[in-house]
Amino acid sequence: MLPTIGIWELNLKTGLLEWDFVTKSIYEIKDNYFPDLDSAINFYAVPKYRERITTLTQNLITTGDSFVERFEILTPKGNTKWVESSAQADFENGECVLIYGTFQDITTHQTLLETVQLNEEKFQKAFEFAPIGMALVSTAGNWIKVNEQLCKITGYSEEELMGLTFQDLTHPNDLDKDLALVNQMLSKEIDNYEMQKRYFHKKGYIVWVHLTVSLVWNNEGEPLYFISQLNDITERKKASEELQREQQRLFQTIEGTNIGTWEWHIQENVIIYNERWAGIVGYTLEELKPISKQIWNDLVHPDDLEMSNIALEKCFSRQTEYYECEYRMKHKNGDWVWVNDKGKVIDWSFDGKPILMLGTHADITHRKNSEQELKNTLDLVSEQNKRLINFTHITSHNLRSHIGNFQMLLNLLLEETDELKKKELTEFLLTIANDLQETIHYLNEVLQIQTNLNQQVKKINLFNEIEKILVSISGLIIESSAIIHTDVPLNTYINYSPEYIESVLLNLLTNAIKYRHPDRNPVIYIRTQDSEKYIILQIEDNGIGIDLNLHGQKLFGMYKTFHTNKDARGLGLFIIKNQIEAMGGKIEVESEVDKGTTFKVYIKNQ
């Protein structure tokens, strides 16, 4: 079972220290326990750990240096535990305002390590000075002990490996096979296994190893740890793979299948291309005559020339054996075509200058487009993950607040004997229940924003939509003597959810009037401007403004209000931000107190 990780947060402005339920369960304290900094430090059983955590925390607040360290704590139940604590900090205007991190129970792992250390002397020398990589690995995949050779193979220090699992280093294409063999050992189907697999070196490149694994059991028949032996076979693999690549290149050149070839007589600056080389960029060889390196220079994208020349120079100076570069070339039809260019000098002069170079050209446009599509998809997934994390934080914070109030009032109700006070407490409970129901309603609304967008999106005339909203709030405009200036082209169309654009316009326009300056009539400008990716809808007012230094980071949060308006509920900006982001856009704000506010809504330009 993987270790459980809790989360903690200390607001240095308010002095409020918060632990989530996982952290409290590790400390073995009740959910209604609210720690402060002094009591939290007193959980560290040994003085040196109390001093160490205090020093690290003070250094974090002063310098922003994050930390991850292991400590021993003593719970109120008298249990000693080993924990791993991490922390990092947020700063505003050079001042630390928030520190937060994780709290992980590593008692089992530490106990296992201590058990292993008891028998360490028996194999210490053989383990440490073995010519191959050796490691003890827990059944959860954590490194318990590694030798120097394994550190050399992977590029990580012993301390760094302790924070990783073997799964973290294993190439994804080899992981399933490795885990399947591990499970066979745990189920006693096999006693050991060996395989060739790939690890990721710390520097990012792949290391091939021949892996042999056995499993140690205790007297009760329970698995303790794996013993792994690793032989580095990277060079052997490289030699084999290089031979295969050479054979493949030769085959492709001979067959001429969809590959352009070139032969460069460097001293004479004469280049011989085949028809396929010219065909990749839409020409015939006849159209490209007279053929020289200048033809190539004219076709290559200007931004890619330097990269290719650097790769050529490395090859000519024998820093690399082969020349290889991916760059863009101008097709006859005006498009840019991606090519993979490979070459090798096969003849050198007596004074070490290149004479003859052979190479190939391959059209990789489709692959590059696929890579871009994949990147776009990953960016989208990353953005969705950020939204999920944000939504989880909002849900946890808001629901926990209501639940905490429920618990407190229920405890008071159980202890209260006065019927009048019981009735009063019951009314408070009903109020909190209504608030909780409302919170769930709005959180559910945020979830709804992310679904069924394809059914909602329509082609909308933005000018007409603005006019419709202005008509619907005409009473508010008249009552406030507001002046509205609309500078939006009549033919501005967007692909958007009608419900969302109505919500965005209604919220921003009514806010511009609602938060008007008491000393002047509201004047509102509605404009649009086009960029490459977006139509930017801009709503500018001359109202009371917002102090962005004070409220900027929480401006779009749930239940966040920044003025004393009695109708403010802190939901409008929260909802429309989610709606805008769900449509692939974003919202920005510029504001100055007593001068006014400008909201910019970025609508994808499709």
Side-chain angles (χ1 to χ4, degrees):
M1 180 180 296
L2 291 175
T4 302
I5 301 177
I7 300 172
W8 60 269
E9 178 180 293
L10 174 60
N11 188 319
L12 296 178
K13 288 185 175 180
T14 64
L16 181 63
L17 175 62
E18 292 187 63
W19 289 347
D20 69 350
F21 76 97
V22 176
T23 302
K24 291 181 179 180
S25 68
I26 294 174
Y27 276 108
E28 296 182 345
I29 57 177
K30 296 181 180 179
D31 287 343
N32 60 359
Y33 177 84
F34 296 98
D36 56 36
L37 190 57
D38 291 335
S39 63
I41 292 176
N42 288 333
F43 280 93
Y44 292 82
V46 182
K48 68 175 182 179
Y49 292 135
R50 290 196 293 272
E51 295 171 1
R52 180 60 177 163
I53 192 66
T54 301
T55 300
L56 289 172
T57 303
Q58 291 173 345
N59 184 60
L60 172 64
I61 293 172
T62 303
T63 67
D65 291 339
S66 61
F67 65 84
V68 178
E69 284 207 17
R70 297 179 177 186
F71 303 95
E72 187 179 30
I73 65 170
L74 182 65
T75 73
K77 294 183 178 181
N79 296 320
T80 299
K81 291 187 176 183
W82 278 94
V83 297
E84 184 176 272
S85 180
S86 72
Q88 52 188 337
D90 284 346
F91 285 78
E92 291 182 1
N93 300 321
E95 179 183 0
C96 184
V97 295
L98 182 72
I99 61 174
Y100 56 92
T102 61
F103 203 73
Q104 180 178 357
D105 188 345
I106 59 168
T107 305
T108 302
H109 179 85
Q110 188 72 18
T111 301
L112 182 57
L113 178 60
E114 292 171 354
T115 301
V116 170
Q117 289 173 341
L118 292 175
N119 300 301
E120 187 177 10
E121 292 182 0
K122 297 181 180 179
F123 58 89
Q124 179 68 27
K125 289 184 179 180
F127 185 94
E128 288 294 337
F129 301 107
I132 62 173
M134 293 189 69
L136 305 182
V137 183
S138 76
T139 54
N142 300 97
W143 305 97
I144 300 173
K145 186 173 180 60
V146 297
N147 71 350
E148 182 178 352
Q149 187 61 28
L150 180 58
C151 293
K152 290 180 179 179
I153 291 173
T154 62
Y156 290 93
S157 66
E158 180 178 355
E159 181 180 357
E160 290 171 332
L161 283 174
M162 292 302 104
L164 301 170
T165 66
F166 82 85
Q167 294 96 321
D168 295 328
L169 272 62
T170 299
H171 192 287
N173 292 347
D174 299 336
L175 186 56
D176 288 345
K177 179 181 177 182
D178 202 0
L179 291 175
L181 291 168
V182 166
N183 289 329
Q184 283 183 277
M185 289 183 62
L186 290 171
S187 61
K188 298 187 177 182
E189 297 176 33
I190 57 175
D191 295 327
N192 54 68
Y193 71 87
E194 59 182 282
M195 64 179 290
Q196 290 185 3
K197 64 176 289 189
R198 289 161 287 185
Y199 281 121
F200 287 111
H201 192 274
K202 181 181 179 180
K203 293 183 178 179
Y205 59 81
I206 289 174
V207 179
W208 275 95
V209 300
H210 182 272
L211 173 68
T212 303
V213 182
S214 58
L215 179 57
V216 176
W217 305 79
N218 64 15
N219 294 334
E220 287 73 37
E222 297 173 337
L224 292 178
Y225 51 84
F226 298 99
I227 300 177
S228 299
Q229 302 177 66
L230 300 88
N231 270 309
D232 188 344
I233 58 171
T234 304
E235 292 304 318
R236 189 175 76 193
K237 275 287 184 180
K238 284 183 178 179
S240 175
E241 290 170 357
E242 183 58 27
L243 178 59
Q244 292 177 358
R245 282 195 292 268
E246 288 289 344
Q247 291 173 338
Q248 185 66 16
R249 291 191 189 109
L250 178 61
F251 174 78
Q252 290 174 336
T253 302
I254 294 173
E255 292 295 320
T257 306
N258 218 30
I259 296 292
T261 63
W262 50 270
E263 179 180 322
W264 185 12
H265 297 265
I266 299 168
Q267 303 301 321
E268 297 84 10
N269 195 26
V270 173
I271 301 181
I272 301 171
Y273 297 123
N274 70 347
E275 281 291 348
R276 176 56 190 157
W277 186 96
I280 288 175
V281 287
Y283 294 94
T284 65
L285 285 176
E286 187 65 27
E287 291 176 303
L288 293 175
K289 287 183 178 179
I291 297 174
S292 67
K293 189 175 183 294
Q294 188 58 45
I295 292 293
W296 177 85
N297 285 351
D298 293 341
L299 292 172
V300 174
H301 195 291
D303 294 343
D304 299 342
L305 266 174
E306 183 180 1
M307 173 178 58
S308 175
N309 289 333
I310 291 173
L312 270 176
E313 185 57 38
K314 287 184 177 180
C315 186
F316 288 170
S317 62
R318 298 195 177 188
Q319 295 179 52
T320 58
E321 186 175 358
Y322 296 97
Y323 158 78
E324 182 171 359
C325 191
E326 293 181 355
Y327 51 79
R328 293 159 288 181
M329 297 185 72
K330 191 67 167 287
H331 194 276
K332 185 179 180 181
N333 65 11
D335 294 337
W336 289 105
V337 178
W338 277 97
V339 299
N340 176 264
D341 193 5
K342 296 180 179 180
K344 182 179 182 181
V345 177
I346 63 168
D347 193 12
W348 300 83
S349 66
F350 287 112
D351 57 354
K353 295 181 179 179
I355 297 175
L356 178 63
M357 190 174 192
L358 302 180
T360 62
H361 259 207
D363 185 345
I364 59 169
T365 306
H366 177 72
R367 194 196 85 196
K368 283 289 186 178
N369 290 340
S370 297
E371 288 174 355
Q372 186 59 46
E373 290 175 3
L374 177 59
K375 181 181 182 301
N376 293 340
T377 300
L378 291 175
D379 290 343
L380 177 61
V381 171
S382 176
E383 182 60 29
Q384 292 289 355
N385 282 340
K386 289 179 182 177
R387 291 184 199 164
L388 177 59
I389 292 170
N390 183 52
F391 180 77
T392 303
H393 177 75
I394 293 169
T395 303
S396 173
H397 180 273
N398 287 281
L399 295 184
R400 186 170 65 242
S401 175
H402 291 306
I403 292 170
N405 288 334
F406 259 124
Q407 290 175 331
M408 179 184 68
L409 289 175
L410 284 172
N411 288 335
L412 291 174
L413 186 62
L414 290 174
E415 296 172 0
E416 186 57 62
T417 57
D418 186 278
E419 291 299 324
L420 186 60
K421 290 186 178 181
K422 279 189 175 183
K423 182 180 178 182
E424 183 179 349
L425 289 171
T426 303
E427 290 174 353
F428 284 148
L429 284 171
L430 289 173
T431 300
I432 294 172
N434 290 333
D435 290 343
L436 178 58
Q437 184 177 13
E438 184 181 73
T439 296
I440 293 171
H441 167 75
Y442 285 114
L443 291 174
N444 186 60
E445 185 172 333
V446 174
L447 286 178
Q448 292 295 328
I449 288 171
Q450 309 298 330
T451 60
N452 299 323
L453 285 180
N454 291 333
Q455 298 176 15
Q456 298 176 12
V457 173
K458 294 181 181 179
K459 188 174 183 180
I460 297 171
N461 184 295
L462 185 57
F463 178 86
N464 292 343
E465 193 67 26
I466 292 169
E467 289 297 303
K468 184 179 74 173
I469 296 300
L470 291 177
V471 170
S472 72
I473 63 171
S474 58
L476 182 61
I477 294 173
I478 294 170
E479 183 270 335
S480 62
S481 299
I483 301 172
I484 313 292
H485 298 282
T486 304
D487 184 15
V488 176
L490 297 176
N491 62 345
T492 302
Y493 287 90
I494 60 174
N495 291 319
Y496 223 76
S497 161
E499 178 186 347
Y500 290 178
I501 195 63
E502 178 183 349
S503 172
V504 171
L505 290 169
L506 193 59
N507 269 282
L508 294 181
L509 289 172
T510 55
N511 279 353
I513 297 173
K514 185 186 304 181
Y515 299 109
R516 58 188 178 272
H517 199 284
D519 299 331
R520 55 182 176 257
N521 291 337
V523 179
I524 301 168
Y525 293 89
I526 307 172
R527 305 184 180 98
T528 59
Q529 65 183 90
D530 286 347
S531 68
E532 183 179 350
K533 292 184 178 181
Y534 300 101
I535 295 173
I536 304 171
L537 171 65
Q538 183 172 305
I539 298 177
E540 177 184 348
D541 66 55
N542 65 339
I544 59 178
I546 303 169
D547 187 341
L548 294 180
N549 290 327
L550 183 61
H551 302 299
Q553 291 187 344
K554 55 185 179 180
L555 182 62
F556 296 98
M558 190 175 185
Y559 298 136
K560 300 299 182 183
T561 57
F562 313 101
H563 300 293
T564 57
N565 191 298
K566 64 180 182 179
D567 298 323
R569 302 182 67 197
L571 291 167
L573 293 180
F574 172 74
I575 292 295
I576 67 170
K577 180 178 184 292
N578 280 272
Q579 291 172 331
I580 292 166
E581 291 179 349
M583 298 303 302
K586 59 182 179 179
I587 183 169
E588 295 177 348
V589 62
E590 299 171 359
S591 189
E592 190 171 347
V593 175
D594 289 333
K595 291 189 176 181
T597 301
T598 300
F599 283 95
K600 294 180 180 179
V601 178
Y602 289 74
I603 301 170
K604 289 186 71 176
N605 199 350
Q606 301 177 357

